[in-house]
Amino acid sequence: MNTDTLNVSTVESKPFDDQRPGTSGLRKSVKEFQQPHYLENFIQSIFDCLATCVGKTLVLGGDGRYYNRQAIQIILRMAAANGFQRVMVGCGGILSTPATSCVIRKYQADCGIILSASHNPGGPKGDFGVKFNIENGGPAPEKVTEAIFKRSKEITQYKILQSADLDIDKIGTQPLGNLTVEVIDSVADHQQLLESVFDFDQIQALLTSGKFRMCFDALHAVTGPYAHAIYENRLGAPSGTVRSGIPLEDFGGGHPDPNLVYAHELVEIMFAKNAPDFGAASDGDGDRNMILGNNFFVTPSDSLAIMTANHRLIPRYKDGIHGVARSMPTSKAADRVAEKLKVSCFETPTGWKFFGNLLDARLASLCGEESFGTGADHIREKDGSWSVLYWLNILAARKESVEQIVREHWLTFGRNYYSRHDYEEVESERAHAVVDGLRAQLSGLKGRKFGQDEIEFGDDFSYTDPVDSSISDKQGVRINFTDGSRIVLRLSGTGTHGATIRLYLERFEPDRLRQNRQTQEALADLIDIADELGQIRKLTGRDKPTVIT
Ligand code: G1P
Ligand code: ZN
């Protein structure tokens, strides 16, 4: 079909000034996204930043939250009007973030759009989001997101095809103008890739042994279909292993964030008498994970360290790993493992996009963030299903409990007590006052003593990417102590209301006899020092954090 004969409209529009992508895409309330032209402007800004859309392939999907389906129809029509050749869209509009990354790579697509606000609540009063991924399958790096933001402030029009909605619930190919829309199975490609990474036979033997019970909570978000297909149908776990496995537009009214606070139903099951052996949950778009044992919680930082230490049990890594990377606020537990294994360990700013270059350059194989995210070089996003399977593979190979594996790890490498305190929805000026107050003190912190604790240095983290030499500065205040303990403070880049202060606390404990304390108790001195230096309670007017993980 000739483009002239297509029913393409060029719609006049005015720029919005608030379309700067944050840590992970553009996140706003559904109401903001539903303003006339708001979504369209942002999508056109993305398209305008590509050298050309003509002849390109886009992968499109989302976590199924409210407004997912409408947004997909709009983007399909815009892709057609802008000259894309092919859009691969997840059936029903469903594609988890890791599955999208997998599909982009597998089919050598040029880019991807993921409709998700990750772990933020959904529904008409909840949040919506748009993430843009590049051809390596990973989140667009800062230079791209900044270019999109710049474009969004200049944009005066967008292009859209006038046409009826497409049926996105039927697998197969349909034309939309000159565009070919291919509705694909949401799970199959990702499952196939995971089968190539892990020992599915060994995991299947564990899950069907009758001696091992697992409980997975999809929190009514995107991982339900993946979990049903992989854990129950393929690996033989009894039906009922997967809870809340049907994606709902409002996530059942819950907060799809896999942590001890928001995944409380799973936590109750796993901390009851006669609890299952293994529990796990994922977030809205399937890139996060929480790992639990019978009456036992594994911190995400420990999870990364344990994965690194046990990599030879995983078929894909049986011959070794290139290195490991963690975000700056993530505990240094993985560093100790890397040191012993004599592989590199990288410290990057918060956000998965900083791992992409390291993975592409084969400098790192495994990556992790304290925010319940672990993943690897099989794709360019963190991967909840991969993380669960990694643990299942370790459990199947070692035939020990989760708790035994973690405790043995602490005995070998020492324990990094770790916690994050979030002060959510703080007035923006108050939150900035805390950060500015700390920044102002940084040069005078060295050598200051608080009881036993002496500050080794304080700085505002700056990262120079070892591959492309790009610099990202002001990535969070770090206060390091001479014994390896740390206080880190930064503002969230994913919130949609006010500002969220994240305070990260870490104390290293090599003494085997002192590895069984309660985390908050072991960190109590550091919590006090953080408040003394940051005046958090006074400046925010809050007497305690909103969420402790
Ligand atoms: C948070 C996490 C960060 C993660 C991001 C997306 O970002 O802290 O590690 O990559 O969500 O899942 P933040 O709100 O802290 O900017
Ligand atoms: Zn997520």
Side-chain angles (χ1 to χ4, degrees):
M1 221 182 287
N2 187 314
T3 354
D4 301 341
T5 62
L6 290 178
N7 201 358
V8 172
S9 302
T10 301
V11 181
E12 300 301 316
S13 177
K14 284 202 185 78
F16 293 87
D17 61 5
D18 63 348
Q19 298 197 323
R20 174 179 243 143
T23 314
S24 188
L26 181 67
R27 271 186 214 183
K28 299 283 170 193
S29 64
V30 166
K31 284 213 163 59
E32 287 170 276
F33 262 106
Q34 284 176 324
Q35 300 170 76
H37 313 310
Y38 193 88
L39 173 70
E40 292 87 342
N41 270 18
F42 189 65
I43 299 298
Q44 188 67 52
S45 303
I46 295 175
F47 291 169
D48 288 351
C49 288
L50 301 173
T52 175
C53 299
V54 177
K56 301 283 179 193
T57 296
L58 168 76
V59 178
L60 176 63
D63 63 12
R65 68 178 60 223
Y66 184 82
Y67 200 50
N68 194 46
R69 283 178 172 273
Q70 293 92 318
I72 284 192
Q73 297 292 347
I74 291 170
I75 296 169
L76 285 174
R77 292 205 289 268
M78 288 185 69
N82 279 276
F84 275 88
Q85 182 178 27
R86 182 160 76 134
V87 175
M88 302 177 77
V89 56
C91 191
I94 294 286
L95 266 186
S96 74
T97 289
T100 309
S101 184
C102 162
V103 171
I104 294 173
R105 293 170 69 77
K106 179 168 175 180
Y107 298 99
Q108 290 165 357
D110 298 286
C111 52
I113 290 178
I114 305 167
L115 303 173
S116 171
S118 188
H119 49 285
N120 293 19
K125 293 194 178 129
D127 288 339
F128 191 74
V130 178
K131 303 196 282 184
F132 177 61
N133 284 29
I134 57 172
E135 64 187 344
N136 75 349
E142 263 181 350
K143 62 174 188 302
V144 176
T145 55
E146 283 303 303
I148 295 169
F149 176 50
K150 183 161 173 274
R151 181 68 193 144
S152 76
K153 290 188 294 186
E154 299 159 350
I155 200 160
T156 54
Q157 55 186 41
Y158 60 85
K159 281 195 213 156
I160 189 158
L161 192 76
Q162 297 304 321
S163 72
D165 278 0
L166 236 66
D167 180 0
I168 54 168
D169 292 284
K170 197 175 76 208
I171 290 178
T173 297
Q174 336 164 30
L176 180 64
N178 287 338
L179 173 73
T180 301
V181 176
E182 198 179 326
V183 177
I184 59 166
D185 185 301
S186 312
V187 177
D189 293 308
H190 192 213
Q191 175 174 338
Q192 199 184 51
L193 177 62
L194 294 169
E195 292 202 32
S196 73
V197 174
F198 299 106
D199 188 338
F200 267 46
D201 291 343
Q202 204 176 24
I203 299 172
Q204 184 170 28
L206 177 74
L207 289 175
T208 54
S209 65
K211 292 189 197 125
F212 182 91
R213 275 189 304 137
M214 160 176 178
C215 182
F216 177 82
D217 196 335
L219 300 173
H220 294 297
V222 82
T223 47
Y226 298 82
H228 280 298
I230 300 174
Y231 313 133
E232 294 186 0
N233 299 345
R234 170 65 180 81
L235 291 167
S239 106
T241 297
V242 176
R243 293 172 52 83
S244 307
I246 296 174
L248 300 177
E249 288 201 328
D250 66 348
F251 307 122
H255 202 129
D257 201 1
N259 62 41
L260 293 174
V261 179
Y262 294 126
H264 56 91
E265 283 179 19
L266 175 70
V267 172
E268 276 152 34
I269 293 170
M270 294 306 298
F271 282 83
K273 265 192 195 162
N274 200 14
D277 303 280
F278 179 66
S282 277
D283 70 329
D285 60 329
D287 55 358
R288 294 187 174 198
N289 74 93
M290 175 168 68
I291 301 294
L292 301 167
N294 181 338
N295 281 268
F296 196 83
F297 166 64
V298 186
T299 70
S301 297
D302 278 351
S303 182
L304 175 65
I306 291 164
M307 286 175 170
T308 309
N310 288 277
H311 68 270
R312 285 189 191 272
L313 302 177
I314 309 298
R316 183 178 170 102
Y317 303 112
K318 66 178 185 339
D319 298 325
I321 52 172
H322 297 300
V324 59
R326 62 163 175 84
S327 66
M328 181 273 281
T330 303
S331 100
K332 291 181 162 182
D335 303 37
R336 297 179 189 282
V337 180
E339 198 183 334
K340 193 164 170 193
L341 296 175
K342 298 197 173 52
V343 297
S344 314
C345 182
F346 296 88
E347 183 176 42
T348 60
T350 297
W352 206 262
K353 56 180 174 253
F354 294 99
F355 295 134
N357 277 353
L358 300 175
L359 293 166
D360 284 349
R362 296 173 180 244
L363 292 171
S365 305
L366 306 177
C367 306
E369 294 196 274
E370 53 66 43
S371 52
F372 296 82
T374 35
D377 54 2
H378 64 301
I379 55 169
R380 294 294 179 271
E381 288 277 7
K382 57 192 180 231
D383 190 339
S385 306
W386 173 93
S387 307
V388 172
L389 289 165
Y390 203 115
W391 267 92
L392 284 170
N393 203 148
I394 295 176
L395 291 165
R398 288 188 47 168
K399 302 188 170 48
E400 291 168 293
S401 72
V402 172
E403 180 169 356
Q404 279 167 333
I405 289 168
V406 177
R407 290 198 182 280
E408 203 244 34
H409 185 89
W410 293 341
L411 292 177
T412 312
F413 294 96
R415 176 173 181 183
N416 290 66
Y417 284 105
Y418 186 84
S419 182
R420 182 174 108 183
H421 291 195
D422 290 338
Y423 294 79
E424 294 179 330
E425 297 186 20
V426 174
E427 250 175 66
S428 184
E429 294 84 70
R430 287 172 180 248
H432 281 98
V434 174
V435 178
D436 294 343
L438 275 171
R439 280 192 182 132
Q441 297 173 59
L442 287 174
S443 57
L445 287 181
K446 186 174 161 41
R448 264 186 78 177
K449 286 198 180 112
F450 300 82
Q452 305 272 322
D453 295 307
E454 181 180 340
I455 297 182
E456 186 181 29
F457 72 87
D459 68 359
D460 201 344
F461 181 58
S462 170
Y463 177 68
T464 304
D465 186 293
V467 179
D468 65 15
S469 303
S470 58
I471 296 174
S472 305
D473 53 17
K474 298 203 168 151
Q475 296 295 320
V477 169
R478 294 192 292 187
I479 301 174
N480 274 49
F481 293 81
T482 49
D483 70 345
S485 297
R486 294 196 307 163
I487 294 171
V488 171
L489 190 139
R490 57 179 282 281
L491 298 184
S492 155
T494 57
T496 51
H497 303 284
T500 291
I501 297 175
R502 303 209 194 282
L503 170 67
Y504 311 81
L505 305 140
E506 169 178 7
R507 184 180 284 290
F508 178 58
E509 183 54 79
D511 183 347
R512 295 175 166 211
L513 300 175
R514 291 171 58 83
Q515 291 177 351
N516 295 318
R517 302 167 69 196
Q518 294 295 320
T519 300
Q520 299 306 317
E521 193 188 298
L523 296 171
D525 292 349
L526 290 176
I527 296 170
D528 288 345
I529 299 171
D531 199 59
E532 188 179 330
L533 292 172
Q535 294 290 304
I536 304 169
R537 278 182 290 182
K538 183 166 161 230
L539 291 172
T540 60
R542 304 279 179 86
D543 59 356
K544 58 175 182 338
T546 335
V547 178
I548 295 182
T549 50

